[in-house]
Amino acid sequence: MIDFNIELKKFKPAVGVEVGEEELFDNDVKDITDLVEEMVQELKNGKAE
């Protein structure tokens, strides 16, 4: 049977995971919701192209 406490003590995170997390959460890329909201605001303001 697996002793989870022993396995957790042996656990080591993968190299570079911290860097990947920072890049994912600090990235300020617009998602589809932001784009739709921006389009709706432009239509309301009469700035549609």
Side-chain angles (χ1 to χ4, degrees):
M1 183 159 244
I2 297 174
D3 186 347
F4 289 103
N5 291 326
I6 292 173
E7 295 300 321
L8 286 172
K9 289 177 185 176
K10 294 192 294 186
F11 175 76
K12 295 180 183 174
V15 176
V17 171
E18 299 84 18
V19 173
E21 273 184 24
E22 288 177 13
E23 289 177 7
L24 283 174
F25 295 113
D26 290 342
N27 198 353
D28 194 25
V29 176
K30 290 185 178 183
D31 64 3
I32 191 68
T33 306
D34 294 332
L35 294 174
V36 170
E37 287 177 359
E38 186 177 314
M39 290 171 55
V40 168
Q41 285 301 319
E42 287 179 0
L43 287 171
K44 284 182 180 179
N45 294 333
K47 296 180 182 177
E49 295 178 7

